[in-house]
Amino acid sequence: MNDTRLPDLPSGDEIAVRALYRRMLDGWNRRDGAAFAGPFAPDGEVIGYDGSGHRGRSVIAAELGRIFADHPTPRYVASVRRVRALGPGVAQLEAVAGMVPDGAEGIDPGLNAVQTVIAVNAGAGWRIALLQNTPARYDLRPDLGTELTEELRALVRRWGDVGPAQERPARPRG
C-alpha cells in the first residue's frame, strides 16, 4: 500500500517558519524593503496582492524599498491558520491578514488577504521560497468575509496601534 500522508513538521521547524513570517511582516510594518526581503531565499518569490511578481531577494528588497518610499503602505495584522510539512525540508504556512491604513483605527476590509508561504530548509536554515498574497473577497460567501473582518478587527483591538507584526498565538493542535 502506498502511504500518501504528508510528514509531520517538528515543532522546532514550525516555530522557525512562523518566525520567518513574523520577520517578513515586521519588515513591511517598518516599511523597510531589506528587512521584508531578509527572510526570503536568494531566489525567493513574491506574488503580490495585485498579482505583481518579484523574483529574487535583492529584487524584492529593491522593489519594496521603492514602494515604501513612494506610498504610505498600510500596516499588517495577521493570524496564522496552519503550518504543515509538504515534504522533507519544505513547509507551508497559511495565514489571513488585514491592513490598517495610516491614520485609521482599524483594518480596511477591502484589503483583507489570505497569505500562503512556502518555506524551504536545504540545510542552512529556513527561508521563504514563495509568498502568495490573495485578496480575501469570498464573493460567494460574504459571511466568511464578515467573520474574517471581525477576527482581524479583534486583533487590532487587542494590540492597539499596529507596530511590529502582530500575530495571534498558535491554536492548540488537536
Side-chain angles (χ1 to χ4, degrees):
M1 179 182 250
N2 194 3
D3 187 356
T4 59
R5 290 178 293 177
L6 294 173
D8 289 332
L9 186 65
S11 63
D13 288 338
E14 179 175 345
I15 290 166
V17 171
R18 285 175 176 271
L20 282 177
Y21 181 66
R22 270 192 310 279
R23 282 182 45 216
M24 181 196 73
L25 293 181
D26 284 344
W28 178 279
N29 287 351
R30 291 193 325 260
R31 296 180 176 141
D32 181 332
F36 176 86
F40 282 81
D43 61 347
E45 186 172 352
V46 171
I47 301 172
Y49 187 83
D50 65 353
S52 60
H54 310 294
R55 290 192 178 138
R57 184 188 306 141
S58 61
V59 171
I60 294 167
E63 183 60 20
L64 270 288
R66 185 190 65 73
I67 290 169
F68 294 144
D70 295 340
H71 304 286
T73 53
R75 295 154 294 152
Y76 272 117
V77 61
S79 177
V80 173
R81 297 282 197 228
R82 158 171 94 153
V83 181
R84 66 182 182 137
L86 297 179
V90 181
Q92 176 185 359
L93 178 145
E94 297 173 13
V96 291
M99 301 189 91
V100 180
D102 273 355
E105 292 186 21
I107 65 165
D108 176 348
L111 299 176
N112 290 352
V114 175
Q115 295 181 327
T116 302
V117 168
I118 302 299
V120 296
N121 184 349
W126 287 96
R127 290 291 188 195
I128 297 172
L130 174 68
L131 164 66
Q132 167 72 49
N133 201 12
T134 304
R137 292 180 29 175
Y138 301 110
D139 291 335
L140 299 178
R141 290 288 310 273
D143 56 310
L144 294 178
T146 300
E147 287 175 22
L148 176 58
T149 296
E150 289 309 311
E151 175 185 349
L152 294 169
R153 283 181 175 151
L155 288 177
V156 172
R157 284 191 300 272
R158 179 175 171 190
W159 284 300
D161 182 44
V162 179
Q166 304 297 334
E167 178 190 331
R168 186 179 66 195
R171 292 181 182 167
R173 290 186 181 187

